[in-house]
Amino acid sequence: MRVLLESTIRKCDGFYIKTDDVSSILDWQKQQNQAEVAFSPARVLLQDFTGIPAMVDLAAMRDALAKQGVDPNLVNPRCPTDLIVDHSLQIDYSKCAIQSPPSPMDESHGATTRSPAGRPSPRGSSSSGSHCSGQRPGHRGGCSKVSCSDAPSGRSAAVQIENTPLLCPFHLQPVSEPETMIRNQEMELIRNKERLQFFKWCSKAFKNINVVPPDINTVHQLNLEYLCQVVQEGEGFIYPDSVVGTDSHTTMINGLGILGWGVGGIESEAVMLGQPVSLTLPQVVGCKLVGTISPLATSIDIVLGITKHLRQAGIGGKFVEFFGPGVQQLSAPDRTTIANMCPEYNATVSFFPVDDITLQHFKHTICSEEKLVVLEDYLKAIKLFRSYSDQSEEPQYSEVIEMNLSSIVPHVSGPKRPQDRVAVTCMKEDFINCLNEKVGFKGFHISKEKQATQVPFLHEGAEYNLAHGSVVIAAVISCTNNCNPSVMLAAGLLAKKAIEAGLKVKPYIRTSLVPGSGIVTHYLNTSGVLPYLRKLGFEVVGYGCATCVGNTAPLPESVVDAIKQGDLVACGVLSGNRHLEGRLCDCVRANYLASPPLVVAYAIAGTVSINLETEPLGVNSEGKDVYLRDIWPSKEEVNHTEENIVIASMFKELRSRMEKGSSFWNSLESAESALFPWDPKSTYIRCPSFFNKLSKEACTPQSIEGAYPLLFLGDKVTTDHISPAGSIARVSAAAKYLQSKRLTPREFNSYGARRGNDAVMTRGTFASIKLQNRLIGKTGPRTLHIPSGQTLDVFEAAERYQRDGVPLIILAGKEYGSGSSRDWAAKGPYLMGVRAVIAESFEKIHRNHLVGMGIAPLQFLSGQNADSLELCGKERFTINIPQELIPRQQLVVQTSTGKSFSVMALFENDMDVAFFRHGGILKYVARSLLP
């Protein structure tokens, strides 16, 4: 509430933001869920799919104003905007590198692998310079699609490739850029050259916009790691950072004390043009965290535990703010992950105020020492800094829910299904119960007298014993744990302490380490834990889906024989996401999913039939028992390693990449002019017609006379029904247009890729095959051209109406425009000539979009609808709009059959009326720049 209040006071101008907005926020406890307030965020965040139509609109506005004799350089985003080009990459080339099982044949003689072109090349040779030449035990043959130098193993070397900090997974030496990456980047450049050239022009032509080129990072990661400011300075003010973004992960930023949430394309465009976001004053639920987290609980346990608690609390549509002493136990990555889970528990935002932990994180990421001092002083001065040890600082909330963090218990899942969760403290008891149960999801039906069976066997000259519950496969896999490095670091730190304590993993256990990406190997190596994992047997075996899908090297024959001899329920433990019975190995019946550090722990113990709290993992060289609690890394140790080594290293790399850019972006040619040089042959970028016939003065509101319904729709028409999305059907209006440009169906691409072409997008509006139009009585993107009686594509009918100078309306039922926020769900109808939508009710955001495009949202009066008024949809409608239109005014609608009824004009304030009078926000802003 303090962030909203500060912004509203600073931006109060009497038009966009009024003193009533300030008063409502000050009285928020009485006004919550009632008052509408305006909020001006500090910045806008765009990804390229939503960014391109916004920037095309600004480029078109420059053209329109230049024709009026206005300097086009005056057209710029009014709110600082970051546009990240991260949605253009498509995977045309890929390769999953999985280590083959050991073979008695020397693979350097005769074994082959396939090159990208399908030609066999000798294993270990440097096909296209892309194979690793070094050898290491366990590394059979060459690294797939990588190369590394012959530097001594263990030597730490800087990454040599641009934009990709990858290491050879077997030698931990720098690798050249993988061929798959090069090929995908080339395809990205070719396929999106027009769009990228346009973005490059935008980066040079417009002020107040920062374009981040492809191949740097994803939009939400850049927002967290580079773009966030926490405290902004500008126009003589210092003020809190805040953001609205068109990426679904925008809410992650709330974990760092920065207010932000996701919006649609038109809302973001409106904010860019200086308009505030309108929101109903929310309830703020305080989530008090108390208690102490279990030492065995990982970050994933904590995040999922809090998410489950909030989902059960019923906080849909509310703001959540965390407080209480338990917050201090959460690292900055933990907080951003919890904030990112908002959709899972249906909150608008989950906010963590800045505290000492956040400041420590900023020290390693975005802040210099000088900036850190200013940030801390300012936040403390306006009471946005939180000290969780001082209960007097606890603020007031709409309501408070409490969660005891000690209730978060670490679990494993198994022995056959991922949904069967078992608390680690109950693992031994549960496994014994599984032996007793009848064969089923949780049972193996082993008789009591056979449950104590032990089978001795020889392995590499030493004798060992196998029993029910013995671990024979242990795989640390990070494919599902990449979002938070702490769990992999915890496994590495556990391994380090185990080695130092003199513990070992029995050599017959099939151990492996499969990082989900090269960056995981990079930070495990940087933090110094990888050698200890390797010493326990957890050697990096490659990148790809391995153990989860059964690609495990065969168990030693002596182990298999022992399992069969005793009919033993042998176990596999892995940190992946698949573990069905027999999937890892046909003789391994019990398989458990566990966190990476627990995989290492169970491997050391050699059995799952153990109480990790009360029984020792093993015995050291001095004969002393070593318990899990003796070697389990504390959360403070993990957080320290993560913040001071991993995150610092990753952010240094990111800053370097941001400064360098990418080679093909730097070499990309683009125009230097203030006006964009539109290519009339382009089918991707086209100057939209929003500003055609732009007059200097807005006309007074005009009545809509003799309009035909373009469509007669029912309830719950979503933006998916309205907005162009997905592939372009070969028989659609958009396809006909592209074919007229001599494109083949293979070259159509998708509507998303062509969002910068209004001709394609308008033809794709109402093109959904699921559209149910009562005018034709069947499903499909067709409608009735009422004057001629012909059934046409919706666009073709609209085009004919426009050619004849006939205005259009849409009749609809309840919840018109529900679903995801989509800009073309309003832009498309506007360009089709739709002047008004008459519906029983509207989704709020879509109503705002219609107003923003100059379309009147009109609502039937309570108790009335098209059926009760006996409308058939073929009448002509005249809507009487007074010249002195006011918010929420009732208007009279007359039909050609003599009927008359009233509707409510859903213009909520004077700003809405002004936008409608000007024909939408784009024309409103354009006219504000005219002399």
Side-chain angles (χ1 to χ4, degrees):
M1 284 299 166
R2 289 179 179 274
V3 176
L4 293 178
L5 178 63
E6 188 282 335
S7 171
T8 306
I9 293 172
R10 179 167 40 86
K11 291 289 188 175
C12 187
D13 61 0
F15 178 67
Y16 283 128
I17 300 178
K18 301 183 178 180
T19 54
D20 287 346
D21 294 318
V22 178
S23 300
S24 294
I25 297 175
L26 287 170
D27 195 27
W28 69 276
Q29 288 186 311
K30 292 182 180 179
Q31 296 293 331
Q32 57 189 2
N33 282 347
Q34 297 180 31
E36 287 281 326
V37 297
F39 169 57
S40 290
R43 56 191 175 91
V44 177
L45 184 69
L46 303 174
Q47 40 91 339
D48 49 318
F49 268 16
T50 50
I52 195 161
M55 299 314 299
V56 165
D57 290 347
L58 290 184
M61 188 184 296
R62 282 194 166 192
D63 279 12
L65 290 177
K67 292 175 182 177
Q68 301 277 359
V70 177
D71 181 3
N73 290 300
L74 295 177
V75 177
N76 294 288
R78 296 180 179 181
C79 181
T81 301
D82 295 294
L83 195 162
I84 290 80
V85 186
D86 74 331
H87 279 49
S88 60
L89 178 65
Q90 294 183 32
I91 303 175
D92 297 286
Y93 301 94
S94 64
K95 187 174 181 67
C96 184
I98 302 174
Q99 182 187 8
S100 300
S103 168
M105 181 178 70
D106 181 356
E107 290 186 15
S108 64
H109 295 86
T112 62
T113 187
R114 291 279 168 182
S115 67
R119 297 184 300 271
S121 58
R123 176 83 68 142
S125 70
S126 56
S127 172
S128 302
S130 64
H131 283 72
C132 168
S133 59
Q135 290 293 323
R136 168 181 298 281
H139 174 20
R140 305 185 64 82
C143 298
S144 174
K145 295 288 176 273
V146 297
S147 65
C148 68
S149 67
D150 293 323
S153 64
R155 169 185 165 191
S156 178
V159 176
Q160 295 177 344
I161 66 170
E162 182 182 1
N163 297 333
T164 311
L166 294 178
L167 302 175
C168 168
F170 304 103
H171 304 89
L172 301 177
Q173 299 301 322
V175 302
S176 62
E177 195 163 357
E179 187 174 339
T180 52
M181 181 179 294
I182 295 173
R183 289 193 172 197
N184 281 319
Q185 287 180 346
E186 288 173 350
M187 286 300 297
E188 181 181 11
L189 175 61
I190 294 169
R191 181 183 290 117
N192 297 285
K193 186 174 182 180
E194 288 184 50
R195 296 170 68 243
L196 295 176
Q197 285 177 322
F198 176 73
F199 284 138
K200 186 76 174 281
W201 172 80
C202 290
S203 68
K204 295 185 292 185
F206 289 105
K207 297 177 182 177
N208 229 13
I209 187 163
N210 170 43
V211 178
V212 179
D215 301 317
I216 298 296
N217 213 327
T218 56
V219 57
H220 57 281
Q221 287 298 118
L222 278 170
N223 192 26
L224 287 173
E225 299 169 1
Y226 191 82
L227 302 174
C228 67
Q229 296 295 310
V230 191
V231 170
Q232 298 267 16
E233 296 182 54
E235 300 178 355
F237 288 100
I238 182 170
Y239 52 93
D241 190 13
S242 56
V243 62
V244 291
T246 58
D247 182 75
S248 59
H249 299 285
T250 304
T251 53
M252 291 182 81
I253 204 68
N254 292 279
L256 300 181
I258 299 168
L259 186 63
W261 60 86
V263 296
I266 287 183
E267 295 113 304
S268 62
E269 198 167 336
V271 176
M272 288 172 64
L273 295 172
Q275 182 190 354
V277 175
S278 177
L279 73 153
T280 303
L281 203 60
Q283 287 183 279
V284 183
V285 178
C287 183
K288 187 173 185 178
L289 301 181
V290 298
T292 303
I293 297 171
S294 165
L296 298 185
T298 66
S299 294
I300 302 301
D301 295 318
I302 297 165
V303 169
L304 294 180
I306 291 176
T307 298
K308 180 181 178 182
H309 186 81
L310 291 175
R311 189 187 298 120
Q312 295 170 342
I315 53 171
K318 300 175 183 178
F319 282 29
V320 177
E321 184 172 314
F322 290 88
F323 73 109
V327 176
Q328 292 176 298
Q329 300 174 62
L330 302 179
S331 67
D334 290 341
R335 300 176 189 191
T336 57
T337 308
I338 292 167
N340 186 45
M341 299 290 278
C342 277
E344 295 295 324
Y345 44 87
N346 204 25
T348 303
V349 299
S350 283
F351 189 80
F352 287 85
V354 175
D355 64 357
D356 289 326
I357 291 174
T358 325
L359 288 182
Q360 186 68 20
H361 176 77
F362 291 146
K363 184 178 180 180
H364 296 304
T365 57
I366 61 171
C367 287
S368 62
E369 289 290 345
E370 297 78 10
K371 174 71 180 287
L372 210 59
V373 171
V374 173
L375 186 154
E376 184 174 359
D377 289 346
Y378 172 72
L379 293 178
K380 287 181 176 178
I382 63 170
K383 298 184 179 180
L384 281 177
F385 188 88
R386 186 65 47 78
S387 174
Y388 295 105
S389 58
D390 186 355
Q391 292 190 2
S392 65
E393 289 193 9
E394 292 185 2
Q396 295 179 333
Y397 295 103
S398 307
E399 62 176 296
V400 173
I401 58 177
E402 185 172 296
M403 180 176 182
N404 193 326
L405 294 176
S406 60
S407 65
I408 299 176
V409 179
H411 286 77
V412 297
S413 295
K416 301 181 182 182
R417 302 187 305 174
Q419 61 264 46
D420 295 325
R421 303 181 73 209
V422 183
V424 171
T425 53
C426 303
M427 182 66 163
K428 183 174 183 177
E429 178 185 352
D430 185 82
F431 181 75
I432 293 172
N433 289 337
C434 290
L435 295 180
N436 292 325
E437 289 289 330
K438 293 181 179 180
V439 175
F441 292 131
K442 290 278 288 183
F444 298 101
H445 198 54
I446 304 297
S447 61
K448 291 280 188 181
E449 61 272 14
K450 291 185 177 181
Q451 290 182 14
T453 299
Q454 290 200 8
V455 179
F457 69 99
L458 290 175
H459 178 74
E460 296 180 350
E463 184 174 311
Y464 301 93
N465 288 309
L466 282 184
H468 293 291
S470 291
V471 174
V472 294
I473 296 175
V476 174
I477 303 166
S478 74
C479 62
T480 54
N481 296 292
N482 286 329
C483 63
N484 197 320
S486 62
V487 287
M488 293 295 287
L489 289 173
L493 291 171
L494 179 73
K496 181 176 183 291
K497 290 190 169 190
I499 293 295
E500 292 170 348
L503 297 180
K504 299 178 180 179
V505 173
K506 294 179 177 65
Y508 61 81
I509 297 176
R510 183 67 69 192
T511 52
S512 59
L513 172 59
V514 185
S517 68
I519 192 65
V520 179
T521 307
H522 178 67
Y523 68 64
L524 289 176
N525 191 48
T526 302
S527 58
V529 298
L530 200 56
Y532 296 97
L533 284 164
R534 185 185 303 122
K535 196 165 184 179
L536 283 181
F538 291 95
E539 181 90 23
V540 176
V541 297
Y543 299 93
C545 297
T547 308
C548 289
V549 296
N551 290 334
T552 302
L555 296 175
E557 288 187 16
S558 57
V559 172
V560 175
D561 291 342
I563 293 172
K564 291 180 178 179
Q565 179 184 335
D567 191 25
L568 300 177
V569 179
C571 297
V573 187
L574 67 154
S575 61
N577 63 353
R578 291 289 184 273
H579 69 324
L580 301 177
E581 182 178 11
R583 183 165 188 161
L584 305 191
C585 182
D586 57 7
C587 62
V588 179
R589 286 189 274 173
N591 299 299
Y592 289 90
L593 299 182
S595 65
L598 282 177
V599 172
V600 177
Y602 280 115
I604 294 170
T607 179
V608 300
S609 186
I610 181 175
N611 187 321
L612 292 176
E613 284 191 333
T614 60
E615 298 180 59
L617 283 179
V619 179
N620 63 16
S621 57
E622 299 173 357
K624 182 181 177 181
D625 287 341
V626 179
Y627 292 83
L628 181 60
R629 59 178 175 269
D630 298 327
I631 64 170
W632 188 270
S634 68
K635 198 158 191 350
E636 291 72 24
E637 288 178 275
V638 175
N639 291 346
H640 176 80
T641 304
E642 185 177 23
E643 284 285 353
N644 292 277
I645 299 177
V646 177
I647 290 179
S649 172
M650 292 168 66
F651 279 75
K652 182 179 179 181
E653 172 67 22
L654 175 62
R655 282 191 290 270
S656 173
R657 291 166 67 182
M658 287 291 292
E659 291 169 2
K660 289 168 56 181
S662 62
S663 56
F664 75 77
W665 173 264
N666 293 337
S667 62
L668 193 64
E669 295 182 357
S670 65
E672 302 286 341
S673 57
L675 298 177
F676 183 70
W678 308 98
D679 181 358
K681 297 180 181 179
S682 173
T683 56
Y684 280 97
I685 307 292
R686 185 175 183 268
C687 185
S689 56
F690 298 130
F691 301 99
N692 288 358
K693 301 178 181 178
L694 178 68
S695 60
K696 289 190 175 183
E697 297 293 333
C699 301
T700 55
Q702 300 291 314
S703 295
I704 302 172
E705 298 184 359
Y708 274 118
L710 177 63
L711 296 161
F712 188 8
L713 306 171
D715 296 339
K716 296 184 179 180
V717 174
T718 71
T719 51
D720 285 341
H721 294 110
I722 308 168
S723 180
S727 59
I728 299 173
R730 295 191 178 193
V731 295
S732 65
K736 294 175 185 175
Y737 167 80
L738 293 173
Q739 286 170 337
S740 72
K741 301 295 182 180
R742 298 185 178 180
L743 296 183
T744 65
R746 293 186 63 181
E747 299 171 302
F748 286 173
N749 214 320
S750 65
Y751 284 113
R754 297 189 181 275
R755 290 179 66 134
N757 186 325
D758 66 309
V760 172
M761 298 300 284
T762 305
R763 285 164 172 80
T765 303
F766 294 113
S768 170
I769 60 173
K770 296 181 180 179
L771 186 72
Q772 293 184 329
N773 180 12
R774 294 172 63 176
L775 289 178
I776 60 172
K778 60 182 180 180
T779 302
R782 308 272 285 173
T783 195
L784 179 69
H785 180 254
I786 299 170
S788 68
Q790 290 181 284
T791 298
L792 305 171
D793 286 337
V794 177
F795 172 79
E796 292 172 350
E799 189 177 40
R800 188 177 295 188
Y801 282 124
Q802 283 188 299
R803 191 166 58 240
D804 296 337
V806 178
L808 296 171
I809 64 169
I810 291 172
L811 297 175
K814 299 173 183 176
E815 299 179 40
Y816 179 80
S818 57
S820 302
S821 174
R822 304 219 173 157
D823 55 344
W824 274 98
K827 288 181 175 178
Y830 171 82
L831 292 176
M832 283 181 161
V834 173
R835 299 280 306 281
V837 178
I838 306 176
E840 289 185 68
S841 64
F842 291 83
E843 197 278 334
K844 177 185 173 183
I845 293 177
H846 185 63
R847 182 211 69 85
N848 293 342
H849 286 185
L850 293 175
V851 173
M853 290 310 302
I855 297 175
L858 307 178
Q859 183 171 293
F860 289 109
L861 298 185
S862 179
Q864 294 184 348
N865 56 34
D867 291 333
S868 68
L869 295 170
E870 298 181 346
L871 302 177
C872 70
K874 297 180 181 179
E875 305 93 339
R876 299 193 76 165
F877 292 77
T878 295
I879 304 169
N880 299 302
I881 301 177
Q883 292 188 359
E884 299 301 325
L885 182 65
I886 60 174
R888 299 195 68 83
Q889 185 172 356
Q890 285 194 16
L891 307 179
V892 176
V893 181
Q894 295 173 317
T895 72
S896 55
T897 59
K899 291 179 182 177
S900 178
F901 59 95
S902 295
V903 293
M904 177 73 72
L906 297 184
F907 302 115
E908 300 295 338
N909 47 48
D910 293 337
M911 186 170 63
D912 282 356
V913 173
F915 290 159
F916 176 72
R917 189 166 64 87
H918 280 268
I921 185 174
L922 294 173
K923 290 182 179 178
Y924 173 85
V925 172
R927 289 194 178 101
S928 71
L929 297 174
L930 292 174

